[in-house]
Amino acid sequence: MPRSLFWSRTDVAGAEHTVLDDGPGFVAHGTQVAVEPVPWTCRYQLTAGAHGATTSLHVAVEGAGWSRNVRLERRADGWRVTTAEQGDLDAALRAAGHPPAGLPGAEDPDRLHDALDVDLSGSPLFNTLPIRRLGLATGAPDLAHTVTVAWVRTPSLEVVPAEQVYTPLGPGRIRFASDTFRADIVLDADGLVLRYPGLAERADAR
């Protein structure tokens, strides 16, 4: 039975709605909206296999006068990354007083080789991928797990490898860390994010 989940952003004005089917494997499609660094809308389609690793992700982002999309597909020899762009996001960013975002996609897809999971910037849904794959919702407390993800930055859709650390803190709680950032995430019984301090809170978390 598909689930409909809604998060309000707590870092910027924005929100995310996703429809999730987490039977065998993990299939989701969703929409993000945010106002920073310029107003944008993001739509994504995500598929992970029964083993938990991501098999594909398609993301499309658009704003006033520009749009970008990126598709990631896992193959036997690694990740295939394809992109498309219309308009000029960098011009919109400069007009708003922000630095340019650079190009969408991965400069060197081979650098993503070790990534079994993907992470979409600003989305609390994607933390569930390594949590489910590694069984961390019921994992031994205080045992840190380091993973490499293919991190898709929004709204640029630049794709880079990122190292993340997940540490179970007890039932329904996970500590997330990446570089100097850390947050203690609250999960529901299915390992889906209820509260992500500094990022988002689910509508049914209260």
Side-chain angles (χ1 to χ4, degrees), residues 131 134-145 167-174 187:
I131 290 172
L134 298 173
L136 301 184
T138 56
D142 302 321
L143 180 61
H145 298 260
T167 306
L169 301 176
R173 296 175 61 231
I174 293 279
L187 308 173

Side-chain angles (χ1 to χ4, degrees), residues 166-187:
Y166 288 81
T167 306
L169 301 176
R173 296 175 61 231
I174 293 279
R175 174 163 293 158
F176 170 83
S178 183
D179 291 330
T180 60
F181 176 83
R182 68 173 51 193
D184 291 352
I185 300 172
V186 179
L187 308 173

Side-chain angles (χ1 to χ4, degrees), residues 183-194:
D184 291 352
I185 300 172
V186 179
L187 308 173
D188 67 13
D190 296 315
L192 296 159
V193 174
L194 282 170

Side-chain angles (χ1 to χ4, degrees), residues 53-68:
T54 301
T55 55
S56 68
L57 174 67
H58 179 216
V59 186
V61 179
E62 63 178 341
W66 60 271
S67 65
R68 290 182 168 192

Side-chain angles (χ1 to χ4, degrees), residues 119-142:
D119 188 10
L120 182 63
S121 180
S123 171
L125 173 71
F126 286 73
N127 295 99
T128 294
L129 293 169
I131 290 172
R132 287 275 192 89
R133 183 173 60 80
L134 298 173
L136 301 184
T138 56
D142 302 321

Side-chain angles (χ1 to χ4, degrees), residues 50-137:
H51 53 293
T54 301
T55 55
S56 68
L57 174 67
H58 179 216
V59 186
V61 179
E62 63 178 341
W66 60 271
S67 65
R68 290 182 168 192
N69 69 71
V70 63
R71 184 182 296 274
L72 287 77
E73 297 174 291
R74 179 190 299 281
R75 299 188 172 187
D77 58 348
W79 287 96
R80 181 187 181 197
V81 181
T82 55
T83 65
E85 179 178 17
Q86 292 185 330
D88 193 340
L89 168 59
D90 285 347
L93 290 169
R94 285 192 293 266
H98 298 288
L103 298 175
E107 183 177 347
D108 181 5
D110 287 343
R111 294 181 60 209
L112 306 175
H113 186 271
D114 293 333
L116 297 178
D117 310 295
V118 295
D119 188 10
L120 182 63
S121 180
S123 171
L125 173 71
F126 286 73
N127 295 99
T128 294
L129 293 169
I131 290 172
R132 287 275 192 89
R133 183 173 60 80
L134 298 173
L136 301 184

